Amino acid sequence: MKQQYNEAEIAARFICVDCSVDTCESNEYYMVQDAVWKEAGMTPDGGMLCLGCLEDRLKRQLKPHDFPDYPINHGVFPRFDRMMNRLGYRRAA
Ligand SMILES: [Zn+2]
């Protein structure tokens, strides 16, 4: 039997659990190291956080080493400036 997914449920997975921003729409779809996610009080299937809320929870700015070397973090999705900055990419000013 084919499993049915509710579209609203799938969309809800991309909503930041703290501020309700759509992380897919803002292109802040990313993965961080398990330890960083745990440090923020999140469980693996506990939903999404936008970068701002994750940093609020950590009380620090994210650094490139907080992001594992997965394709999802490197150019699969168009990148939001804040995301580019945290990943260590520099834009020509
Ligand atoms: Zn948020």
Side-chain angles (χ1 to χ4, degrees):
M1 203 171 114
K2 219 172 166 185
Q3 194 168 355
Q4 296 291 320
Y5 291 100
N6 178 320
E7 262 181 53
E9 260 172 43
I10 294 169
R13 296 176 77 101
F14 291 96
I15 302 297
C16 171
V17 297
D18 281 3
C19 75
S20 302
V21 79
D22 186 334
T23 60
C24 192
E25 218 160 74
S26 68
N27 291 319
E28 294 195 335
Y29 189 54
Y30 60 91
M31 284 185 74
V32 289
Q33 306 284 0
D34 291 347
V36 176
W37 202 238
K38 208 173 157 188
E39 190 187 332
M42 295 295 287
T43 55
D45 57 358
M48 292 286 304
L49 283 173
C50 70
L51 284 183
C53 289
L54 177 57
E55 291 182 340
D56 275 357
R57 286 182 175 223
L58 296 173
K59 308 241 182 303
R60 67 178 175 83
Q61 210 173 80
L62 289 159
K63 298 277 187 258
H65 69 250
D66 291 320
F67 299 91
D69 195 17
Y70 294 155
I72 190 174
N73 288 332
H74 296 283
V76 174
F77 297 97
R79 286 296 168 214
F80 193 58
D81 284 352
R82 182 162 61 168
M83 185 76 200
M84 295 294 285
N85 176 269
R86 299 303 190 269
L87 284 168
Y89 293 108
R90 286 282 174 273
R91 282 196 161 202

